[in-house]
Amino acid sequence: MTLFDTKPVPATARTWWRTASACGGMLALCGGLFHTVTAAVLRRDVWTQVVDEGFFNTVSLDPSPERLAVAEAFWFSPGSFGVPLLLLGSLVTWLARRGHPVPWWLGAGVALWAVLIGSLGGFDLGTLILLSVGGLLAAGGWTTRRPRAV
């Protein structure tokens, strides 16, 4: 693929995952899936309570002390970064498998977001994984935008 090609070159089944973007996408996909499933399992008693009480309008932005567990379960699972990270990872791996480049600024934005989260709340394992996802996506996007030597 040259600088002026408009159509992507689909990757073969053996090579698509060798790019930095594909590795970042797989890491994002796995991290988002892990976070979402683990958060739901860890709070299953609260989710059982939510289903029993009725699913709609059960979470408040200003919860009372007896509803604090429900609000915390929401912000720990569907309201957290797990679902968007899962979707981002799915999109990036889909693009990588079809030979489409991922823009470098997408990875830079994820990396900056991770630095902000780490600065405010501490650099734990999740923040470091998010920083790695951003770095891989930025590196993959940066290398694909540069013209290749002939």
Side-chain angles (χ1 to χ4, degrees), residues 2 13 19 30 35 37 51-52 59 79 94 104 115 126 128 139 150:
T2 65
T19 65
C30 292
H35 187 279
V37 170
V51 170
D52 289 344
V59 178
W94 184 82
W104 67 270
V115 168
L128 295 175
V150 182

Side-chain angles (χ1 to χ4, degrees), residues 12-80:
T12 65
R14 296 181 190 198
T15 62
W16 74 269
W17 55 271
R18 292 183 183 174
T19 65
S21 294
C23 291
M26 289 300 293
L27 185 60
L29 195 145
C30 292
L33 183 65
F34 177 78
H35 187 279
T36 304
V37 170
T38 303
V41 169
L42 290 176
R43 302 298 192 270
R44 70 177 156 259
D45 55 333
V46 177
W47 289 112
T48 303
Q49 173 190 352
V50 167
V51 170
D52 289 344
E53 293 174 356
F55 198 74
F56 297 101
N57 295 324
T58 57
V59 178
S60 172
L61 291 178
D62 188 21
S64 61
E66 61 271 357
R67 301 298 295 172
L68 193 58
V70 173
E72 187 266 342
F74 171 77
W75 290 111
F76 188 54
S77 39
S80 73

Side-chain angles (χ1 to χ4, degrees), residues 57-144:
N57 295 324
T58 57
V59 178
S60 172
L61 291 178
D62 188 21
S64 61
E66 61 271 357
R67 301 298 295 172
L68 193 58
V70 173
E72 187 266 342
F74 171 77
W75 290 111
F76 188 54
S77 39
S80 73
F81 67 89
V83 175
L85 193 60
L86 173 66
L87 294 172
L88 175 68
S90 300
L91 175 64
V92 168
T93 53
W94 184 82
L95 288 171
R97 290 194 70 169
R98 282 152 185 79
H100 294 282
V102 177
W104 67 270
W105 50 263
L106 183 66
V110 171
L112 288 173
W113 180 40
V115 168
L116 176 65
I117 292 171
S119 298
L120 293 172
F123 286 93
D124 59 355
L125 180 63
T127 309
L128 295 175
I129 289 173
L130 194 60
L131 187 60
S132 300
V133 167
L136 286 168
L137 294 180
W142 183 258
T143 57
T144 57

